[in-house]
Amino acid sequence: MSRRMFFVRHLQVRHRLFSSASNNFEFIHKPDFRPRRIILLRHGESLGNADESAYVTTADWRIPLTKLGKEQAAEAGKCLREKIREEDAKVIFYHSPYLRTKQTLDELLPYFSDSEILSCLEEPRICEQQIGNFQNVQQVLDAKKERSKFGRFFYRFPSGEAGLDVYNRVSSYIPTLVRDLDRYRRSGIDMDNVNVVIVTHGLALRLFLMRWFQWSVECFEESQNPGNCQLVTMNKRKDEGHTWMELEENDRRALCLSDACAVPRNVRLHRMDSVCGMKGDFKPR
């Protein structure tokens, strides 16, 4: 018996035990908090992207966009407006407190009316990886070179964070996002009209996806940062009574991700269950 088949049958047995122990209870369908889309956006080109020496005299969180970065952000605003064009569409914005993400956001907001924007919230947990205070350029370049050999997820900058630290704080943000969305649902907002836009940084963006889709560390290490102001879109999908968020294929390919990384792990298990001929015995939550 293959390991995959053993794992699926193990889950099948667990499900049957649970079902037999609880068949006297009526299960109530849990209301769906998921929005129509979650769109993640890396900031536009920053002065630090163009010139590493900017970090020597300017705090990382105060690094501004370049002229090109502002143009990229304005273009991203147009693309965002083209993507969110449904009648009665609503938008919730979250952004990192860094200057470059706030300047990116400033270029996005004019494309939406006040009546379309439900909220615009600063979220420190989605800020850039901390690699030190005022930085020595050569030391940072050497550390980044070492990180490429060691691995981005576990490598810790001498005076800053490891990727794992960013993963932990981004993970703590997701339940806040879910609670915010559920409050809008309970207030009567149609979640099929809601779009969440998260303006953040390259590494934080990928670690958000890693946590949401439950990637392995190896899958994360194989991925790449999106380009400046590239939209990364997760769309709501429904099938056989189940609902999940799924990455658009073009975005998955741009991030160098495998097919399996585009959907949450419980959805993959459900699909594997169906392929193995046990459809209906095990359902993802």
Side-chain angles (χ1 to χ4, degrees):
M1 180 187 299
S2 68
R3 292 183 65 185
R4 186 179 74 163
M5 181 68 74
F6 174 82
F7 181 57
V8 170
R9 289 188 176 176
H10 172 67
L11 291 173
Q12 179 191 30
V13 170
R14 287 184 59 188
H15 175 72
R16 285 174 176 169
L17 288 173
F18 176 77
S19 298
S20 62
S22 56
N23 57 14
N24 292 325
F25 294 90
E26 179 180 357
F27 287 88
I28 300 173
H29 178 68
K30 188 176 181 179
D32 182 27
F33 66 88
R34 295 171 185 81
R36 185 185 189 95
R37 301 181 186 91
I38 297 176
I39 303 172
L40 298 110
L41 174 69
R42 183 186 177 194
H43 59 79
E45 182 191 69
S46 72
L47 184 59
N49 292 145
D51 181 9
E52 290 272 0
S53 67
Y55 298 109
V56 175
T57 57
T58 306
D60 191 4
W61 66 281
R62 289 176 171 158
I63 294 286
L65 294 181
T66 61
K67 180 182 178 181
L68 173 60
K70 291 183 178 180
E71 292 172 354
Q72 291 171 335
E75 183 62 29
K78 294 179 184 178
C79 295
L80 198 61
R81 180 73 274 184
E82 290 174 2
K83 186 177 287 285
I84 305 174
R85 55 186 177 181
E86 296 83 15
E87 189 176 351
D88 298 326
K90 302 294 181 184
V91 188
I92 303 170
F93 288 96
Y94 292 91
H95 65 91
S96 157
Y98 277 42
L99 178 58
R100 53 188 177 270
T101 52
K102 292 195 286 186
Q103 289 180 330
T104 299
L105 177 69
D106 288 342
E107 300 295 330
L108 305 179
L109 292 177
Y111 289 93
F112 299 91
S113 66
D114 290 344
S115 63
E116 291 177 305
I117 300 174
L118 291 176
S119 61
C120 187
L121 303 170
E122 182 173 288
E123 178 48 70
R125 288 171 290 184
I126 58 173
C127 74
E128 182 64 285
Q129 181 181 20
Q130 308 300 294
I131 61 175
N133 297 321
F134 295 109
Q135 300 162 18
N136 178 290
V137 176
Q138 191 56 51
Q139 288 178 355
V140 171
L141 291 175
D142 290 344
K144 288 183 176 180
K145 185 177 180 180
E146 185 179 45
R147 180 181 64 174
S148 66
K149 297 179 181 178
F150 189 88
R152 285 177 172 266
F153 189 77
F154 291 114
Y155 181 83
R156 180 177 300 280
F157 283 92
S159 300
E161 291 182 303
L164 174 60
D165 299 321
V166 183
Y167 174 85
N168 287 337
R169 55 178 166 84
V170 168
S171 295
S172 74
Y173 158 64
I174 290 178
T176 301
L177 170 62
V178 170
R179 286 193 296 270
D180 288 349
L181 292 171
D182 195 53
R183 279 196 290 269
Y184 282 116
R185 179 196 62 77
R186 287 187 279 110
S187 72
I189 299 292
D190 183 353
M191 300 311 292
D192 285 339
N193 290 334
V194 174
N195 299 267
V196 175
V197 178
I198 302 174
V199 186
T200 182
H201 308 263
L203 185 70
L205 185 155
R206 286 193 291 144
L207 289 168
F208 176 95
L209 294 175
M210 179 183 180
R211 180 64 186 91
W212 189 283
F213 293 109
Q214 300 174 295
W215 298 345
S216 67
V217 172
E218 288 185 0
C219 183
F220 166 78
E221 291 290 354
E222 292 171 358
S223 69
Q224 294 183 1
N225 274 350
N228 291 112
C229 281
Q230 178 184 334
L231 304 183
V232 177
T233 305
M234 301 159 58
N235 294 302
K236 180 156 67 176
R237 296 283 184 256
K238 299 180 181 180
D239 180 50
E240 297 183 359
H242 302 291
T243 309
W244 65 92
M245 305 301 295
E246 185 168 322
L247 267 179
E248 289 190 355
E249 182 176 357
N250 289 341
D251 295 333
R252 178 182 61 74
R253 294 186 184 280
L255 296 173
C256 299
L257 297 168
S258 66
D259 292 346
C261 292
V263 297
R265 182 166 59 187
N266 60 349
V267 176
R268 298 200 302 272
L269 289 173
H270 173 55
R271 290 175 176 176
M272 180 167 41
D273 180 41
S274 299
V275 169
C276 292
M278 293 178 284
K279 185 174 181 181
D281 288 329
F282 172 72
K283 300 294 183 183
R285 294 183 181 181

